């Protein structure tokens, strides 16, 4: 197309990128100017495999590294996340004096990108370790007892402090999730509530700050269900809030809320009921399967990190399979340097939706 200042036969294509199309002057977007818009979303599994190929071009890989497997295991990763993943994997391999990057390096790099770096300098007291183990066991057990279609499968659960969190229960969607349904959102709230409930069960009703983040995430989710996604029967499919997820990096505009005080109270009640019904659902599961909960917590205290197979075995009361490929201590690293601040970034949720929820 001809753009002001260019002749159409000059073969000039002008492209621009922005994260804030909402603030562009409409004059810029008139036909003949920037009149084609291409939205670059997160890559799908094929896209991720291709991106990984680009970033591993100069990285020597072991023969058994299958990038399509890595791509399948990283739903919700952006191109930058994948680049970071390759970089971290290469760093890990180098730390172990390896000539090539292997599948294990990718696996550990993924944990680091998803959950933050392990903070070996943080020593948990026995009591904290016990609390964290029960907390994470609660998340894990409720996730495992939900109908499979409504939850993302457990990928890993650890009580090794990472980033801001003392423990992490990590779920990873089996495939790209573009849309979430009501049962998924409800199950998510139940899983979030389960950490606090398990702590209460194990510590004789004691309540700790460890569930703070879970509670916040669950409340925000419930509010969105009621106010944005029309998932409340009482309030119906009405948008009661500004759409916070304006598709691009958001401004926080103060708008009048556009509903009455009575409606505001009703929203609060609905949010409360929604969270409490899932709280009770989680509590029901945890008390019914109290023995499985205890086995999980004990296994966590013993091994500090469990993969899906170990989680299944602990729940069913079978002997645990050998620990998942545990990283051997680095042979050549000299001193335990303090971890640079940058590495301690809090766990980054993939897919724009909390996948790994840290519990402090
Ligand atoms: Zn938690």
């Amino acid at each position: 197309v001809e753009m002001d200042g260019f002749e159409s036969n000059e073969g000039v294509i002008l492209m621009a990128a922005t994260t804030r199309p909402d603030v562009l002057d409409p004059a810029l977007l008139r036909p003949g100017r920037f009149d084609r818009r291409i939205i670059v979303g997160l890559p799908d599994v094929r896209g991720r495999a291709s991106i990984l190929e680009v970033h591993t071009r100069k990285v020597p890989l072991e023969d058994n590294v299958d990038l399509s497997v890595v791509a399948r295991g990283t739903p919700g990763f952006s191109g930058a996340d994948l680049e970071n993943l390759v970089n971290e994997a290469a760093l890990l391999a180098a730390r172990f004096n390896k000539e090539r990057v292997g599948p294990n390096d990718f696996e550990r790099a993924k944990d680091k990108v998803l959950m933050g770096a392990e903070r070996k300098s943080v020593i948990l007291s026995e009591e904290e370790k016990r609390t964290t183990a029960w907390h994470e066991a609660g998340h894990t057990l409720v996730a495992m007892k939900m109908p499979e279609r409504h939850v993302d499968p457990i990928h890993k659960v650890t009580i090794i402090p990472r980033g801001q969190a003392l423990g992490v229960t990590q779920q990873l969607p089996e495939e790209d999730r573009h849309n979430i349904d009501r049962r998924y959102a409800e199950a998510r709230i139940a899983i979030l509530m389960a950490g606090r409930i398990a702590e209460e069960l194990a510590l004789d009703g004691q309540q700790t700050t460890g569930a703070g983040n879970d509670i916040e995430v669950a409340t925000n989710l419930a509010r969105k269900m009621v106010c944005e996604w029309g998932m409340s029967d009482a309030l119906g499919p009405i948008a009661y809030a500004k759409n916070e997820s304006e598709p691009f990096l958001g401004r926080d505009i103060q708008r009048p809320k556009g509903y009455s005080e009575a409606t505001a109270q009703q929203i609060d009640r609905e949010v409360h009921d929604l969270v409490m019904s899932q709280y009770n659902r989680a509590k029901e599961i945890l008390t019914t399967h109290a023995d499985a909960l205890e086995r999980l917590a004990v296994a966590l205290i013993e091994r500090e990190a469990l993969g899906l197979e170990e989680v299944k075995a602990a729940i069913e009361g079978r002997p645990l399979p050998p620990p998942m490929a545990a990283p051997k201590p680095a042979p050549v690293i000299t001193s335990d340097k303090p971890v640079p601040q940058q590495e301690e970034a809090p766990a980054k949720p993939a897919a724009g939706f909390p996948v790994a929820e840290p519990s402090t």
Side-chain angles (χ1 to χ4, degrees):
V1 292
E2 184 177 327
M3 201 162 175
D4 291 356
F6 296 100
E7 295 299 324
S8 58
N9 58 5
E10 278 182 297
V12 176
I13 297 174
L14 202 57
M15 293 198 288
T18 180
T19 49
R20 298 290 304 275
D22 50 325
V23 294
L24 292 181
D25 186 334
L28 271 178
L29 305 172
R30 265 182 227 143
R33 299 187 180 169
F34 289 109
D35 62 352
R36 304 282 197 283
R37 288 218 224 171
I38 302 167
I39 295 183
V40 182
L42 291 175
D44 61 8
V45 63
R46 285 207 337 261
R48 289 195 298 275
S50 310
I51 292 171
L52 283 167
E53 257 162 48
V54 171
H55 290 305
T56 51
R57 222 176 256 157
K58 290 182 184 156
V59 178
L61 300 179
E62 283 175 14
D63 291 339
N64 56 350
V65 170
D66 184 346
L67 291 179
S68 66
V69 171
V70 180
R72 267 207 304 281
T74 47
F77 274 49
S78 67
D81 291 335
L82 293 167
E83 184 180 9
N84 188 15
L85 177 80
V86 172
N87 190 30
E88 291 290 351
L91 285 174
L92 282 169
R95 269 176 93 173
F96 289 98
N97 276 346
K98 287 165 62 176
E99 307 253 305
R100 292 171 177 278
V101 181
N104 265 347
D105 301 316
F106 276 103
E107 186 59 33
R108 291 178 54 209
K110 186 166 87 180
D111 286 351
K112 188 167 171 189
V113 173
L114 276 176
M115 306 192 280
E118 287 182 13
R119 289 203 304 171
K120 300 223 170 67
S121 55
V122 177
I123 309 292
L124 296 190
S125 70
E126 281 308 305
E127 186 58 33
E128 280 172 328
K129 205 169 154 181
R130 208 172 92 86
T131 310
T132 310
W134 280 86
H135 181 107
E136 301 304 332
H139 288 312
T140 305
L141 183 62
V142 170
M144 294 294 291
K145 291 290 177 189
M146 289 280 169
E148 264 168 45
R149 287 169 295 118
H150 302 164
V151 293
D152 296 325
I154 292 286
H155 174 66
K156 197 170 281 184
V157 45
T158 85
I159 53 168
I160 302 168
R162 286 171 182 273
Q164 300 291 313
L166 295 185
V168 176
T169 301
Q170 191 195 338
Q171 294 168 266
L172 206 55
E174 252 163 2
E175 48 198 27
D176 299 313
R177 209 178 260 288
H178 304 291
N179 207 352
I180 66 170
D181 66 26
R182 180 167 169 174
R183 286 170 305 188
Y184 176 90
E186 287 171 348
R188 180 95 208 118
I189 295 176
I191 294 167
L192 285 163
M193 289 290 123
R196 155 59 60 84
I197 301 168
E199 277 187 57
E200 285 181 346
L201 292 176
L203 303 173
D204 206 16
Q206 185 182 315
Q207 301 180 324
T208 70
T209 53
N213 183 266
D214 296 338
I215 292 172
E216 185 184 340
V217 173
T219 310
N220 289 342
L221 183 54
R223 192 163 281 278
K224 278 196 168 163
M225 289 171 70
V226 172
C227 296
E228 290 178 32
W229 302 335
M231 291 177 181
S232 149
D233 296 327
L235 286 158
I238 313 285
Y240 289 105
K242 63 177 182 227
N243 186 3
E244 280 173 56
S245 56
E246 285 189 37
F248 299 93
L249 297 184
R251 40 179 161 180
D252 200 24
I253 328 155
Q254 284 296 334
R255 281 190 218 153
K257 59 180 190 280
Y259 46 79
S260 69
E261 196 49 42
T263 306
Q265 288 182 10
Q266 207 182 353
I267 289 172
D268 290 342
R269 247 193 328 272
E270 276 292 292
V271 170
H272 179 262
D273 291 355
L274 193 54
V275 172
M276 284 318 292
S277 68
Q278 295 309 316
Y279 179 95
N280 292 329
R281 182 181 178 198
K283 190 162 190 173
E284 169 84 34
I285 292 173
L286 293 179
T287 37
T288 313
H289 302 282
D291 45 347
L293 178 65
E294 177 156 9
R295 282 195 299 269
L296 253 184
V298 169
L300 260 178
I301 293 171
E302 189 190 310
R303 294 202 175 174
E304 297 198 332
L306 302 175
L308 179 59
E309 288 312 312
E310 294 161 278
V311 165
K312 281 182 183 163
I315 289 177
E316 290 162 20
R318 288 186 277 120
L320 297 192
M324 33 174 211
K328 286 153 265 134
V332 277
I333 296 301
T334 45
S335 65
D336 243 5
K337 291 196 198 105
V339 191
Q341 199 59 38
Q342 203 190 349
E343 291 195 6
E344 296 187 13
K348 179 181 182 308
F353 197 72
V355 173
E357 88 283 344
S359 46
T360 37

